[in-house]
Amino acid sequence: DAGITQSPRHKVTETGTPVTLRCHQTENHRYMYWYRQDPGHGLRLIHYSYGVKDTDKGEVSDGYSVSRSKTEDFLLTLESATSSQTSVYFCAISESGTANRVTQYFGPGTRLLVL
Amino acid sequence: AQSVTQLGSHVSVSEGALVLLRCNYSSSVPPYLFWYVQYPNQGLQLLLKYTSAATLVKGINGFEAEFKKSETSFHLTKPSAHMSDAAEYFCAVSEDQAGTALIFGKGTTLSVSS
């Protein structure tokens, strides 16, 4: 299994509060991603990072921000949580190089409930 | 734009029967294609991938998939289903452009009965 951990694994929070989810990898991979999974939608990309301090938006980035100050850590922040952000959040990583870059390995996920 | 269509949100088979999960994609360039499996309350595990080498790709747990460019398909098969195969399966595509996102289908839940 890829060395990816996510914390917390479960969180309940209230509408309007900020929330930060952490993804930590031990593989020294260059690329890191945040996805959300919702029933009937599969997984959708929120943000991704292609290096320290290098990030870009994905398909569903509104209401989310990210930071990557070290290779091993990629943080996802919900600036002011809303009920529509109740979801399961997955972190993924991939290596450099064409074929390796597109092959992504996923963490165990974080279940977030916004009340 | 890339997209993935998984035909059938639920597929039920008997133990020992053939498993066939369908995936069709749209892509403007030769794609990279993936199948992932997700067991309840777990993350996604890579089953197999097509990266422009052999069109018949073998993966873990006895699964395989065939890339058919003329049909824009990448269907997942297993000759004989096992109870442990019950899970949700996701097909995904990437064109490996500047944004390296995987585009996922909506998933197919496989049920296996004894």
Side-chain angles (χ1 to χ4, degrees):
Chain A
D1 289 345
I4 310 170
T5 56
Q6 293 185 231
S7 59
R9 295 292 314 280
H10 302 270
K11 186 169 182 66
V12 179
T13 191
E14 295 186 349
T15 298
T17 60
V19 176
T20 295
L21 309 182
R22 180 182 183 235
C23 177
H24 178 79
Q25 60 146 330
T26 58
E27 306 295 325
N28 200 36
H29 284 1
R30 178 181 177 186
Y31 296 89
M32 299 185 76
Y33 313 80
W34 278 107
Y35 290 86
R36 61 178 288 173
Q37 183 180 29
D38 303 290
H41 288 276
L43 278 80
R44 293 176 292 174
L45 182 69
I46 304 171
H47 282 278
Y48 69 99
S49 170
Y50 47 97
V52 173
K53 299 191 188 307
D54 293 323
T55 65
D56 206 348
K57 296 179 178 180
E59 176 188 358
V60 290
S61 60
D62 287 348
Y64 302 94
S65 61
V66 291
S67 65
R68 191 170 179 198
S69 59
K70 298 184 291 185
T71 298
E72 58 266 34
D73 290 326
F74 192 31
L75 304 181
L76 175 72
T77 298
L78 288 64
E79 294 142 7
S80 178
T82 67
S83 59
S84 65
Q85 294 176 312
T86 292
S87 188
V88 182
Y89 291 86
F90 287 99
C91 175
I93 64 174
S94 64
E95 299 178 77
S96 301
T98 302
N100 290 335
R101 182 173 64 194
V102 297
T103 303
Q104 297 183 17
Y105 300 93
F106 285 80
T110 294
R111 290 185 176 274
L112 177 66
L113 174 61
V114 183
L115 299 175
Chain B
Q2 307 164 73
S3 67
V4 174
T5 302
Q6 292 185 238
L7 298 175
S9 58
H10 290 88
V11 171
S12 297
V13 300
S14 299
E15 194 171 22
L18 172 71
V19 175
L20 171 60
L21 304 182
R22 300 178 186 274
C23 173
N24 289 90
Y25 69 91
S26 68
S27 175
S28 59
V29 299
Y32 295 92
L33 294 158
F34 304 84
W35 276 99
Y36 287 86
V37 60
Q38 184 179 32
Y39 299 101
N41 299 314
Q42 294 188 24
L44 277 72
Q45 181 182 5
L46 181 66
L47 266 180
L48 50 80
K49 62 182 180 182
Y50 167 76
T51 57
S52 75
T55 57
L56 182 62
V57 181
K58 294 187 183 298
I60 62 172
N61 301 339
F63 284 92
E64 63 182 36
E66 186 173 8
F67 171 66
K68 292 187 176 181
K69 183 178 179 180
S70 62
E71 298 177 8
T72 61
S73 68
F74 191 57
H75 301 332
L76 182 71
T77 61
K78 182 174 181 178
S80 177
H82 192 273
M83 297 292 285
S84 61
D85 295 326
E88 189 161 21
Y89 292 79
F90 292 94
C91 182
V93 64
S94 173
E95 292 180 346
D96 187 39
Q97 300 300 316
T100 55
L102 289 176
I103 305 300
F104 283 86
K106 295 183 178 181
T108 297
T109 299
L110 176 66
S111 300
V112 182
S113 58
S114 57

